[in-house]
Amino acid sequence: MEYTSTRDNGMKVSSARAIAQGISKEGGLFVPESLPRLTAADIDSLVPQSYIQRATAILSGFLTDFTAEELEQCVTAAYGSGNFPGDAVAPLAKLNDNTYMLELWHGPTCAFKDMALQLLPHLLTVSAKKEAGDKEIVILVATSGDTGKAALAGFQDVPGTRILVFYPQDGVSKVQKLQMATQEGANVAVQGVYGNFDDAQTGVKQLFTDPTLAARLDEKGLMFSSANSINWGRLVPQIVYYVSAYCDMIASGEIANGEAINVCVPTGNFGNILAAYYAAEMGVPINRLICASNVNKVLTDFIHTGTYDRRRELILTTSPSMDILISSNLERLLYALSGRDDKSVGEMMARLSGDGIYTVDDKVKQILQTRFWGGFCDEKSVMDTIKDVHETYSYLCDTHTAVAIGVHRQYMEQTEDATKTLIASTANPYKFAPSIWTAISGQLSDADEFDQIDMLHAATGMEIPPQILELKQKPVRFTESCAKEDMGKAVEGMLNLWLPAQKPLPVQGKRPE
Ligand SMILES: *Cc1c(COP(=O)(O)O)cnc(C)c1O
């Protein structure tokens, strides 16, 4: 299977090249030329299989230049060996007759980013061997919280890779900061930036495109790559869990093979819901894709009007991973819905980065509104939903997941469509304990975040993930911060770019005693 670019149909690359390179030269995103088909018989044969077997089968349809052995090794390294508890990598929890929570947070960092970032490093190293002359890959990440930790955990001690993460010094929660600062591994480094997430992201983008730095890396046998969700290697692992969840619903007798379901996703960069769309296009019987936003409801407005308008103030909410005005992966959906019209996608993306607004034509708008339904939750409704879901079902959900549950309720009320629905549950509630505790108790607390974790545990009895509990005792390795202008210097320092080529590259930061 070949991959092309959303902005140039003339581009043809292998999956390994698409993953190693991350983004196409002209700025488009890599997409497969066609999707593998899943028939009802194929789904039947996946039903008795483990997550690892299902993942290997589905990925083999997309990554055709990987050998069966390579794929199996990558998938086993990601989802086996104690990374995820037991066989249930992405378990389902049934809330009521038509609502099923697809829990995507049982990985090492307690957020759904693990589902892709545990696999990506392995796909990337195999891809680099095939397509990049076996260079050592340097991953640069700017993070608003969840991605940085998930990427660090995924790349930790993966041979042939190093990872450098920048986070806004005062823009992440205490748990998130500690998760990164205590990261183990000989190939990792973490640095705060004095500034906000945009400053960190802009700095990283500049480093990616700095020709002097690229030449210096090349001399040292290194190359930059990206672990953010524009990389196909991060999207394709997410298709797997929708197929797998459908199989689980058949296996447990909740649905018959062929029965249509809906899927509802708390959405930020549009990666997770796009994976559900691809699963539907492959043949999984998914009717409606319900796109749930917080008050930064660019996508809700887009689905209702066909006009995407980012010209508005970003509002900080209790679901920070969805505080986003430019949903990068929407470009891939526009490409698919427009019948692979690379010219019009390129024009719309140019308008988005120029004027900040574009409108799709009526044909695209009509398909968009048939397949998708958009809604949003304000902060009060997020808090009310967490409390109500806990009281009604004794089920604790995080703030992002609450947005999706709230929007699904609106959907059912407005459409009277009671089709069985998978709701993507994207984070363990203890990652956002202060917000959840306030929702459950109706009180604001200025206690330390770890005390609020204990208070939440006392109030709900839900098990605290050991990865979060042990943060309190773990030695802090990374404490440094830099000005946004000095991020380039920080990278040079962290990689020791100016040392003679033969010396091993030491990693900055104290090793745990
Ligand atoms: C990243 C993230 C999201 C948004 O997912 P996208 O793929 O960017 O749409 C939702 N919830 C949580 C907890 C996340 O970390």
Side-chain angles (χ1 to χ4, degrees):
M1 173 180 295
E2 288 204 297
Y3 286 72
T4 186
S5 161
T6 51
R7 299 187 200 175
D8 177 9
N9 285 340
M11 185 66 67
K12 300 262 183 289
V13 299
S14 66
S15 70
R17 163 120 324 253
I19 291 169
Q21 201 175 311
I23 186 164
S24 187
K25 275 194 285 267
E26 76 301 323
L29 306 187
F30 289 120
V31 282
E33 286 214 303
S34 60
L35 292 173
R37 291 288 308 166
L38 270 181
T39 63
D42 294 332
I43 290 176
D44 259 336
S45 70
L46 292 172
V47 170
Q49 296 187 4
S50 69
Y51 193 88
I52 288 181
Q53 290 170 319
R54 290 171 185 167
T56 311
I58 293 155
L59 292 172
S60 70
F62 283 98
L63 311 179
T64 50
D65 48 333
F66 285 54
T67 66
E69 201 191 353
E70 284 168 342
L71 270 183
E72 221 176 283
Q73 276 171 4
C74 290
V75 168
T76 310
Y79 302 116
S81 68
N83 270 354
F84 289 82
D87 196 34
V89 173
L92 289 177
K94 184 174 180 177
L95 270 200
N96 58 35
D97 282 347
N98 64 355
T99 315
Y100 300 79
M101 308 307 297
L102 171 54
E103 294 180 350
L104 303 172
W105 40 261
H106 292 276
T109 79
C110 306
F112 102 94
K113 305 285 191 293
D114 286 331
M115 299 301 300
L117 279 164
Q118 282 296 310
L119 182 58
L120 176 71
H122 304 288
L123 298 179
L124 204 50
T125 47
V126 174
S127 300
K129 281 207 181 80
K130 292 180 190 293
E131 291 284 343
D134 217 0
K135 285 216 184 93
E136 191 173 1
I137 293 188
V138 178
I139 299 292
L140 285 188
V141 180
T143 182
S144 59
D146 286 341
T147 303
K149 175 61 185 180
L152 286 163
F155 281 92
Q156 172 187 347
D157 291 328
V158 172
T161 70
R162 337 181 108 237
I163 174 165
L164 315 175
V165 171
F166 291 97
Y167 68 89
Q169 174 60 34
D170 296 315
V172 299
S173 77
K174 180 167 177 184
V175 164
Q176 286 175 323
K177 191 185 277 193
L178 269 179
Q179 277 190 314
M180 292 188 275
T182 58
Q183 177 65 44
E184 291 165 15
N187 63 337
V188 307
V190 177
Q191 182 115 23
V193 176
Y194 297 114
N196 59 26
F197 171 62
D198 278 336
D199 296 324
Q201 181 153 51
T202 307
V204 162
K205 278 190 187 148
Q206 278 165 2
L207 294 173
F208 269 129
T209 50
D210 179 342
T212 326
L213 196 54
R216 190 67 195 154
L217 285 168
D218 194 54
E219 277 169 36
K220 296 269 181 179
L222 304 169
M223 71 177 268
F224 278 143
S225 190
S226 160
N228 77 28
S229 70
I230 54 173
N231 193 318
W232 179 254
R234 248 190 83 174
L235 204 55
V236 69
Q238 302 186 341
I239 298 172
V240 173
Y241 50 73
Y242 289 108
V243 181
S244 181
Y246 189 80
C247 293
D248 284 343
M249 288 176 83
I250 297 172
S252 59
E254 299 294 336
I255 54 169
N257 191 356
E259 186 175 339
I261 59 167
N262 291 338
V263 170
C264 177
V265 184
T267 296
N269 221 1
F270 210 77
N272 200 357
I273 194 168
L274 181 69
Y277 169 81
Y278 283 139
E281 289 298 291
M282 288 169 70
V284 180
I286 295 172
N287 257 355
R288 220 58 191 295
L289 295 151
I290 302 164
C291 176
S293 300
N294 65 24
V295 285
N296 296 293
K297 59 182 186 65
V298 188
L299 287 165
T300 312
D301 296 345
F302 173 63
I303 292 167
H304 288 184
T305 64
T307 294
Y308 193 97
D309 187 354
R310 71 165 165 85
R311 300 170 307 172
R312 59 185 89 190
E313 199 81 24
L314 182 76
I315 301 161
L316 298 182
T317 72
T318 52
S319 44
S321 299
M322 296 158 69
D323 291 345
I324 202 164
L325 294 180
I326 300 179
S327 299
S328 318
N329 268 302
L330 190 61
E331 177 166 351
R332 287 186 165 112
L333 181 71
L334 296 175
Y335 182 76
L337 296 187
S338 67
R340 313 177 76 79
D341 186 344
D342 54 346
K343 293 280 161 316
S344 91
V345 171
E347 278 163 24
M348 286 188 279
M349 292 305 110
R351 264 179 243 137
L352 180 64
S353 65
D355 304 338
I357 180 170
Y358 64 84
T359 301
V360 296
D361 65 33
D362 284 344
K363 204 182 95 228
V364 171
K365 181 171 153 187
Q366 204 220 320
I367 317 175
L368 177 73
Q369 292 178 342
T370 318
R371 301 300 301 279
F372 289 82
W373 193 88
F376 76 101
C377 281
D378 63 19
E379 292 291 88
K380 178 171 186 312
S381 133
V382 170
M383 291 291 128
D384 291 348
T385 303
I386 293 169
K387 187 175 168 67
D388 182 69
V389 166
H390 182 248
E391 280 171 2
T392 314
Y393 306 110
S394 303
Y395 187 85
L396 199 59
C397 68
D398 97 294
T399 45
H400 303 75
T401 307
V403 169
I405 297 174
V407 168
H408 177 236
R409 287 175 166 181
Q410 292 170 23
Y411 171 80
M412 287 195 296
E413 232 175 75
Q414 290 178 30
T415 62
E416 291 176 8
D417 175 6
T419 302
K420 291 184 173 132
T421 300
L422 275 178
I423 296 183
S425 173
T426 51
N428 184 301
Y430 284 106
K431 269 206 107 161
F432 303 95
S435 301
I436 315 294
W437 193 79
T438 297
I440 299 288
S441 69
Q443 293 165 40
L444 269 172
S445 164
D446 53 12
D448 177 79
E449 198 163 325
F450 283 106
D451 293 336
Q452 297 204 44
I453 286 173
D454 292 339
M455 287 148 66
L456 188 57
H457 176 69
T460 66
M462 183 180 177
E463 191 199 340
I464 307 173
Q467 310 89 298
I468 289 186
L469 264 186
E470 75 189 20
L471 279 177
K472 266 198 282 194
Q473 276 91 42
K474 263 191 146 182
V476 171
R477 293 181 66 195
F478 303 102
T479 52
E480 288 184 35
S481 290
C482 67
K484 57 186 177 188
E485 296 78 17
D486 293 335
M487 288 170 63
K489 278 201 205 107
V491 167
E492 290 173 12
M494 288 190 275
L495 293 174
N496 280 307
L497 278 191
W498 308 106
L499 288 187
Q502 301 315 329
K503 280 216 181 147
L505 303 172
V507 173
Q508 191 203 38
K510 286 181 222 95
R511 306 278 295 158
E513 303 307 328

